Amino acid sequence: ARIKTAEVRATVPRRYQSAEEAKIAEEYRRELAQIDGRSGAKAEASTKLPKAASAIKTQEQLKEWKKKQEENIKDNVPKQWQSFAQATIDEEYTEISARIKTVEAARKAKKAPKSETSSEREATSEESAREATRSEEPAEESTKSEALVQEVAARQEKASAGAEAVVLAAADAKA
């Protein structure tokens, strides 16, 4: 701003300098507000949103962040470039939304009662197979049921391990 002000004083007639300096000051305030993550007119009314998009924790914060970014685009980006800026905002919104959903799912999985151990699952699958045999299903049907039970147990074990990995990664990111 100082360089621009000095340039105005050197090149603009004295009686027009104050108007030009006022424009420079307004531009400076707008850019400063943009750096702080606020729109120019609403700089004083900023809410408790994290400054970095990566620090957003809830879908509500994410929606508010997107709304503020879109306002910022309307206020500060020329019309012909707004679609490019909007595409970037949409992409970041999608990424953050997916991250939030993953973290929420991991929290729910962690709060859910602990699932059976693998040995308990194997016993359950063996019991299911025995019951299938007792009910006089054809041998082929019993084999399919047993395979299905084992596949479900393997998927549950894999999902449980994946949820634990997500929780550990989130904890590492906080540290």
Side-chain angles (χ1 to χ4, degrees):
R2 288 183 184 174
I3 295 172
K4 288 183 178 182
T5 304
E7 190 177 303
V8 166
R9 289 182 182 157
T11 59
V12 176
R14 191 174 293 257
R15 64 182 185 192
Y16 300 112
Q17 286 179 2
S18 62
E20 290 299 315
E21 288 174 351
K23 289 179 187 176
I24 292 169
E26 178 58 32
E27 181 183 348
Y28 176 77
R29 273 187 243 113
R30 201 172 344 127
E31 288 178 2
L32 184 60
Q34 184 178 1
I35 289 169
D36 288 344
R38 302 172 282 178
S39 65
K42 298 170 185 163
E44 296 80 26
S46 69
T47 60
K48 296 176 183 173
L49 270 180
K51 289 193 179 201
S54 60
I56 293 173
K57 303 281 187 215
T58 65
Q59 291 290 339
E60 292 79 26
Q61 285 180 332
L62 181 60
K63 288 175 186 174
E64 189 174 334
W65 171 84
K66 184 177 181 185
K67 181 180 173 185
K68 287 190 181 250
Q69 294 300 317
E70 289 171 342
E71 288 173 2
N72 191 22
I73 289 170
K74 278 185 180 177
D75 292 344
N76 300 308
V77 177
K79 275 233 187 260
Q80 72 256 26
W81 302 106
Q82 286 182 4
S83 64
F84 298 110
Q86 184 64 44
T88 302
I89 298 299
D90 291 341
E91 184 178 312
E92 195 167 358
Y93 177 88
T94 304
E95 290 172 6
I96 295 170
S97 180
R99 177 183 51 84
I100 291 171
K101 287 176 184 175
T102 303
V103 169
E104 287 174 354
R107 277 192 205 132
K108 286 179 183 177
K110 189 174 182 180
K111 288 180 182 179
K114 297 219 175 202
S115 62
E116 304 170 332
T117 63
S118 59
S119 60
E120 290 172 336
R121 273 186 241 135
E122 288 173 11
T124 304
S125 66
E126 288 175 8
E127 288 174 25
S128 297
R130 281 189 219 123
E131 287 177 13
T133 306
R134 284 186 207 136
S135 65
E136 299 181 26
E137 291 181 357
E140 188 176 325
E141 290 290 324
S142 176
T143 305
K144 286 181 182 177
S145 296
E146 186 176 352
L148 184 60
V149 168
Q150 288 176 352
E151 183 180 49
V152 168
R155 285 185 181 182
Q156 287 176 339
E157 189 172 337
K158 207 180 239 186
S160 176
E164 290 174 7
V166 169
V167 170
L168 291 175
D172 287 344
K174 284 184 179 180

